[in-house]
Amino acid sequence: MVPIDEARLSPGQAGLLNGWGIFTTTRIFQGEAFAYERHWRRLEKDAGRIGLPFAFDAGQVRRHLGELLAANQVTEGTARIYMIYNRVGMWRSDEPMPEVDLLIYTAGLPAHSGEARLSVAENGRHAASPLAGVKTTSWLNNVWHLAGAQKAGWTEVILLNERGEAAECTSANIFCVKDGAVFTPPLSSGCLEGVTRSVLLEIASRAGVSMSEKTLTLEDLYAAEEVFITSTNRSLLGVSEISGHRYGAVMGPLVQKLERAFDAYMREYVAARGSAVRA
């Protein structure tokens, strides 16, 4: 653990330059890494899909993260866990380094508005790609689309796949409300299996909300009564507009019910985690 201005990354880390690595962003809530186990399972799965050696221990990495949170005095914020493959390809150095580097850093919660305005990008996701849904450090497609959308005045952008279906936004999953039920694109759309998404699919019925996966087109989103997006940093955020189509309701009663259920789940998680640590 070193101050940020003393941290050294080497151009000899082939995975760093080639984007051969994986990462996850965790929400730090009341000093705890929320849903850490879900993040860890996704890291393990993604490592297997890209052939990245995975010799890490979940408990040890969690302890490292806890030490970093204490050093940076973070109780409400975010943390990122990166795993970078160093020994791939010919463009790497002979200096001693681990086969895979573990990088962890923390940050505060980014500011965001109370509602989202979304543009649309055709062919923003390739659902047939063997890397579809893998959270790799090759993140140019995401940040490039987001930068273009924000330069044009939008909050985020909906990425359509090669079949013209809605997949997700660049850093958020997307949901819509129609006739009292909530729908979100299936993983076959090419979207990331977001942690907030997976939690909502699990707890929606307990909140009295019907939620399921369904292939969604732009027409489906335009015909919906409400649209919202979810992410680690934003939890649930209502959408007020998609490319000129405006919604009368932003975070209506049903979505507010989901938001309350999600907040309660986070608090239950932290309480259970505290009890487990004390035991």
Side-chain angles (χ1 to χ4, degrees):
M1 185 160 54
V2 297
I4 189 67
D5 56 356
E6 295 179 17
R8 176 184 181 270
L9 300 178
S10 170
Q13 294 174 261
L16 187 67
L17 299 186
N18 296 331
W20 197 324
I22 54 177
F23 76 100
T24 193
T25 306
T26 67
R27 170 71 185 274
I28 307 305
F29 180 68
Q30 296 181 359
E32 285 290 341
F34 170 66
Y36 176 84
E37 299 81 3
R38 295 174 189 256
H39 285 279
W40 190 262
R41 288 195 296 269
R42 191 174 66 192
L43 284 169
E44 284 185 310
K45 182 183 70 175
D46 287 354
R49 288 185 61 183
I50 70 169
L52 183 146
F54 198 90
F56 301 99
D57 176 77
Q60 184 181 42
V61 172
R62 190 169 203 163
R63 287 190 292 274
H64 289 326
L65 174 57
E67 293 167 3
L68 188 62
L69 293 174
N72 288 340
Q73 300 180 353
V74 177
T75 56
E76 299 293 331
T78 59
R80 273 196 168 175
I81 301 172
Y82 284 93
M83 292 161 182
I84 306 297
Y85 199 3
N86 291 325
R87 300 177 186 173
V88 291
M90 61 175 290
W91 294 103
R92 55 192 173 100
S93 63
D94 294 327
E95 63 183 298
M97 63 178 71
E99 184 176 33
V100 179
D101 255 320
L102 170 68
L103 309 177
I104 308 174
Y105 69 86
T106 65
L109 283 172
H112 60 78
S113 62
E115 58 188 47
R117 298 175 59 250
L118 310 179
S119 61
V120 177
E122 296 182 354
N123 295 303
R125 274 285 172 268
H126 183 42
S129 168
L131 295 180
V134 180
K135 197 162 186 174
T136 72
T137 53
S138 305
W139 213 236
L140 174 60
N141 183 68
N142 293 57
V143 295
W144 181 74
H145 274 105
L146 180 61
Q150 292 184 340
K151 186 176 181 180
W154 302 99
T155 310
E156 252 279 16
V157 51
I158 300 172
L159 304 177
L160 305 182
N161 63 25
E162 68 273 26
R163 299 186 294 269
E165 302 162 353
E168 60 183 344
C169 295
T170 66
S171 61
N173 291 111
I174 190 164
F175 297 73
C176 71
V177 179
K178 180 67 174 176
D179 297 328
V182 180
F183 303 99
T184 191
L187 299 183
S188 59
S189 69
C191 71
L192 179 74
E193 189 176 4
V195 167
T196 304
R197 173 188 184 276
S198 69
V199 170
L200 286 178
L201 283 167
E202 183 179 303
I203 69 173
S205 60
R206 283 192 279 158
V209 176
S210 171
M211 179 181 292
S212 60
E213 295 176 311
K214 178 184 176 182
T215 298
L216 297 175
T217 64
L218 271 181
E219 288 69 28
D220 293 321
L221 295 178
Y222 291 150
E225 290 119 38
E226 297 178 61
V227 174
F228 65 97
I229 60 176
T230 65
S231 69
T232 291
N233 295 335
R234 289 169 286 204
S235 296
L236 285 71
L237 182 63
V239 172
S240 61
E241 178 184 356
I242 297 178
S243 289
H245 178 88
R246 302 181 187 277
Y247 294 89
V250 178
M251 297 293 281
L254 188 149
V255 182
Q256 290 180 41
K257 184 184 291 188
L258 284 173
E259 186 177 44
R260 289 192 297 269
F262 185 77
D263 183 72
Y265 183 89
M266 291 179 69
R267 296 179 187 280
E268 291 167 9
Y269 178 90
V270 170
R273 171 66 182 164
S275 298
V277 170
R278 288 191 294 273

